[in-house]
Amino acid sequence: MVGAKPCSSPGPPDAKLSTKYGELLQNSTEYISLVGALQYLTWSRPEIAYYVNQVCQFMHSPTTTHLSATKRILKYIKGTLGQDILFTKGVTVVSGYTDADWGGDPDTIRSTSGFCLFFRNNPISWSAKSNQLSLEDLQKLRTNVYQHLKDLYIFLPSSPQLLCDNRSSVSLA
């Protein structure tokens, strides 16, 4: 991948990988190793978490389509080296964001949801999971962080804010 052209994004916005496309890889060892390494990279590069999650779902029987998607993630990383998470000073506020695609997996009709929790405008926790309730997970995490801050005598000027782009949660609220 050294000579590959960088990509401007880790994948298309509507990336939906499936087992129905591409030919099975003859030797999946390299694919599994590559995807495993990308999983570790999501700790400092959360913007690739969704796409890495997509390619991880096919480690048991990867196809040429899955390998192409993985290579695109690598091309994106090549073009964005040095853009890791940076921590900055800011107002002592905790906020969180969550979203879900509700039934977006074309094979299993399972949902993918995710959240990101911020403290002083810095991401401190994030997750992207298949078939999970990310708003509920984010609420639990927010409560734990709020309690830890109180234990450290850090008092927030306002209660932590959760933002959600989810029709059913908005309707329920």
Side-chain angles (χ1 to χ4, degrees):
M1 300 300 298
V2 173
K5 288 178 69 176
C7 285
S8 60
S9 68
D14 56 351
K16 303 287 185 227
L17 295 176
S18 173
T19 57
K20 299 174 186 172
Y21 306 107
E23 297 177 22
L24 282 175
L25 296 177
Q26 295 298 320
N27 183 2
S28 61
T29 306
E30 183 180 325
Y31 177 84
I32 292 168
S33 176
L34 181 59
V35 170
L38 286 173
Q39 284 182 305
Y40 282 105
L41 190 58
T42 60
W43 284 100
S44 63
R45 300 293 300 265
E47 79 274 17
I48 66 169
Y50 173 78
Y51 299 99
V52 172
N53 177 282
Q54 289 287 304
V55 296
C56 282
Q57 294 178 26
F58 303 98
M59 289 173 67
H60 59 282
S61 57
T63 67
T64 53
T65 306
H66 305 135
L67 182 59
S68 295
T70 304
K71 286 181 178 180
R72 180 173 173 149
I73 297 169
L74 290 175
K75 290 177 185 178
Y76 169 75
I77 292 166
K78 180 180 182 184
T80 58
L81 289 175
Q83 293 185 5
D84 296 325
I85 295 175
L86 299 175
F87 293 96
T88 59
K89 292 181 179 180
V91 180
T92 307
V93 173
V94 174
S95 60
Y97 304 90
T98 183
D99 196 7
D101 71 350
W102 301 111
D105 186 322
D107 292 330
T108 63
I109 317 296
R110 294 176 76 179
S111 301
T112 301
S113 57
F115 68 79
C116 189
L117 186 68
F118 293 84
F119 176 66
R120 292 186 173 162
N121 298 324
N122 300 299
I124 58 171
S125 183
W126 55 87
S127 176
K129 295 181 180 179
S130 181
N131 209 22
Q132 297 288 322
L133 299 173
S134 63
L135 186 59
E136 181 181 339
D137 293 341
L138 183 58
Q139 170 58 33
K140 290 176 186 175
L141 183 61
R142 179 188 76 158
T143 303
N144 288 341
V145 167
Y146 186 71
Q147 186 59 49
H148 287 309
L149 290 173
K150 280 177 55 179
D151 293 344
L152 295 170
Y153 298 101
I154 299 173
F155 300 100
L156 301 175
S158 60
S159 52
Q161 181 181 27
L162 294 182
L163 301 171
C164 176
D165 182 17
N166 176 311
R167 285 190 204 125
S168 62
S169 295
V170 170
S171 298
L172 181 62

